[in-house]
PDB file of all heavy atoms in Angstrom:
ATOM      1  N   TYR V 920      18.727  29.700  -7.514  1.00  0.00           N
ATOM      2  CA  TYR V 920      19.395  30.637  -6.598  1.00  0.00           C
ATOM      3  C   TYR V 920      20.681  30.041  -6.017  1.00  0.00           C
ATOM      4  O   TYR V 920      21.668  30.742  -5.846  1.00  0.00           O
ATOM      5  CB  TYR V 920      18.456  31.053  -5.457  1.00  0.00           C
ATOM      6  CG  TYR V 920      17.233  31.811  -5.903  1.00  0.00           C
ATOM      7  CD1 TYR V 920      15.999  31.597  -5.301  1.00  0.00           C
ATOM      8  CD2 TYR V 920      17.309  32.753  -6.924  1.00  0.00           C
ATOM      9  CE1 TYR V 920      14.863  32.294  -5.686  1.00  0.00           C
ATOM     10  CE2 TYR V 920      16.176  33.455  -7.328  1.00  0.00           C
ATOM     11  CZ  TYR V 920      14.961  33.218  -6.702  1.00  0.00           C
ATOM     12  OH  TYR V 920      13.852  33.910  -7.090  1.00  0.00           O
ATOM     13  N   HIS V 921      20.642  28.724  -5.726  1.00  0.00           N
ATOM     14  CA  HIS V 921      21.871  28.072  -5.266  1.00  0.00           C
ATOM     15  C   HIS V 921      22.939  28.218  -6.358  1.00  0.00           C
ATOM     16  O   HIS V 921      24.091  28.548  -6.074  1.00  0.00           O
ATOM     17  CB  HIS V 921      21.629  26.581  -4.979  1.00  0.00           C
ATOM     18  CG  HIS V 921      21.004  26.297  -3.650  1.00  0.00           C
ATOM     19  ND1 HIS V 921      21.652  26.537  -2.458  1.00  0.00           N
ATOM     20  CD2 HIS V 921      19.796  25.783  -3.315  1.00  0.00           C
ATOM     21  CE1 HIS V 921      20.865  26.183  -1.445  1.00  0.00           C
ATOM     22  NE2 HIS V 921      19.728  25.718  -1.943  1.00  0.00           N
ATOM     23  N   PHE V 922      22.536  27.978  -7.603  1.00  0.00           N
ATOM     24  CA  PHE V 922      23.482  28.092  -8.714  1.00  0.00           C
ATOM     25  C   PHE V 922      24.056  29.506  -8.819  1.00  0.00           C
ATOM     26  O   PHE V 922      25.279  29.689  -8.901  1.00  0.00           O
ATOM     27  CB  PHE V 922      22.814  27.683 -10.043  1.00  0.00           C
ATOM     28  CG  PHE V 922      23.612  28.076 -11.255  1.00  0.00           C
ATOM     29  CD1 PHE V 922      24.873  27.524 -11.485  1.00  0.00           C
ATOM     30  CD2 PHE V 922      23.134  29.030 -12.159  1.00  0.00           C
ATOM     31  CE1 PHE V 922      25.633  27.896 -12.593  1.00  0.00           C
ATOM     32  CE2 PHE V 922      23.889  29.407 -13.254  1.00  0.00           C
ATOM     33  CZ  PHE V 922      25.143  28.839 -13.477  1.00  0.00           C
ATOM     34  N   LEU V 923      23.193  30.496  -8.801  1.00  0.00           N
ATOM     35  CA  LEU V 923      23.656  31.888  -8.947  1.00  0.00           C
ATOM     36  C   LEU V 923      24.611  32.280  -7.820  1.00  0.00           C
ATOM     37  O   LEU V 923      25.629  32.942  -8.054  1.00  0.00           O
ATOM     38  CB  LEU V 923      22.461  32.848  -8.993  1.00  0.00           C
ATOM     39  CG  LEU V 923      21.563  32.728 -10.235  1.00  0.00           C
ATOM     40  CD1 LEU V 923      20.325  33.605 -10.079  1.00  0.00           C
ATOM     41  CD2 LEU V 923      22.326  33.086 -11.512  1.00  0.00           C
ATOM     42  N   ALA V 924      24.304  31.846  -6.612  1.00  0.00           N
ATOM     43  CA  ALA V 924      25.155  32.194  -5.468  1.00  0.00           C
ATOM     44  C   ALA V 924      26.515  31.490  -5.565  1.00  0.00           C
ATOM     45  O   ALA V 924      27.557  32.106  -5.298  1.00  0.00           O
ATOM     46  CB  ALA V 924      24.446  31.834  -4.157  1.00  0.00           C
ATOM     47  N   TRP V 925      26.514  30.227  -5.981  1.00  0.00           N
ATOM     48  CA  TRP V 925      27.791  29.519  -6.155  1.00  0.00           C
ATOM     49  C   TRP V 925      28.591  30.132  -7.301  1.00  0.00           C
ATOM     50  O   TRP V 925      29.824  30.244  -7.218  1.00  0.00           O
ATOM     51  CB  TRP V 925      27.579  28.026  -6.441  1.00  0.00           C
ATOM     52  CG  TRP V 925      27.312  27.185  -5.239  1.00  0.00           C
ATOM     53  CD1 TRP V 925      26.265  26.314  -5.069  1.00  0.00           C
ATOM     54  CD2 TRP V 925      28.103  27.099  -4.037  1.00  0.00           C
ATOM     55  NE1 TRP V 925      26.363  25.702  -3.842  1.00  0.00           N
ATOM     56  CE2 TRP V 925      27.475  26.151  -3.187  1.00  0.00           C
ATOM     57  CE3 TRP V 925      29.272  27.719  -3.590  1.00  0.00           C
ATOM     58  CZ2 TRP V 925      27.982  25.829  -1.927  1.00  0.00           C
ATOM     59  CZ3 TRP V 925      29.772  27.396  -2.336  1.00  0.00           C
ATOM     60  CH2 TRP V 925      29.141  26.471  -1.527  1.00  0.00           C
ATOM     61  N   GLN V 926      27.917  30.507  -8.354  1.00  0.00           N
ATOM     62  CA  GLN V 926      28.627  31.062  -9.502  1.00  0.00           C
ATOM     63  C   GLN V 926      29.335  32.367  -9.121  1.00  0.00           C
ATOM     64  O   GLN V 926      30.496  32.579  -9.488  1.00  0.00           O
ATOM     65  CB  GLN V 926      27.652  31.295 -10.660  1.00  0.00           C
ATOM     66  CG  GLN V 926      28.367  31.504 -11.974  1.00  0.00           C
ATOM     67  CD  GLN V 926      27.417  31.780 -13.101  1.00  0.00           C
ATOM     68  OE1 GLN V 926      26.454  32.531 -12.948  1.00  0.00           O
ATOM     69  NE2 GLN V 926      27.678  31.176 -14.242  1.00  0.00           N
ATOM     70  N   ALA V 927      28.654  33.198  -8.341  1.00  0.00           N
ATOM     71  CA  ALA V 927      29.254  34.460  -7.902  1.00  0.00           C
ATOM     72  C   ALA V 927      30.464  34.189  -7.008  1.00  0.00           C
ATOM     73  O   ALA V 927      31.512  34.837  -7.138  1.00  0.00           O
ATOM     74  CB  ALA V 927      28.206  35.298  -7.160  1.00  0.00           C
ATOM     75  N   LEU V 928      30.319  33.222  -6.118  1.00  0.00           N
ATOM     76  CA  LEU V 928      31.424  32.860  -5.212  1.00  0.00           C
ATOM     77  C   LEU V 928      32.621  32.341  -6.015  1.00  0.00           C
ATOM     78  O   LEU V 928      33.767  32.739  -5.773  1.00  0.00           O
ATOM     79  CB  LEU V 928      30.923  31.806  -4.217  1.00  0.00           C
ATOM     80  CG  LEU V 928      31.678  31.439  -2.944  1.00  0.00           C
ATOM     81  CD1 LEU V 928      32.701  30.338  -3.183  1.00  0.00           C
ATOM     82  CD2 LEU V 928      32.340  32.627  -2.249  1.00  0.00           C
TER      83      LEU V 928
END
Side-chain angles (χ1 to χ4, degrees):
Y920 297 141
H921 279 294
F922 167 64
L923 293 173
W925 279 128
Q926 196 182 42
L928 195 272

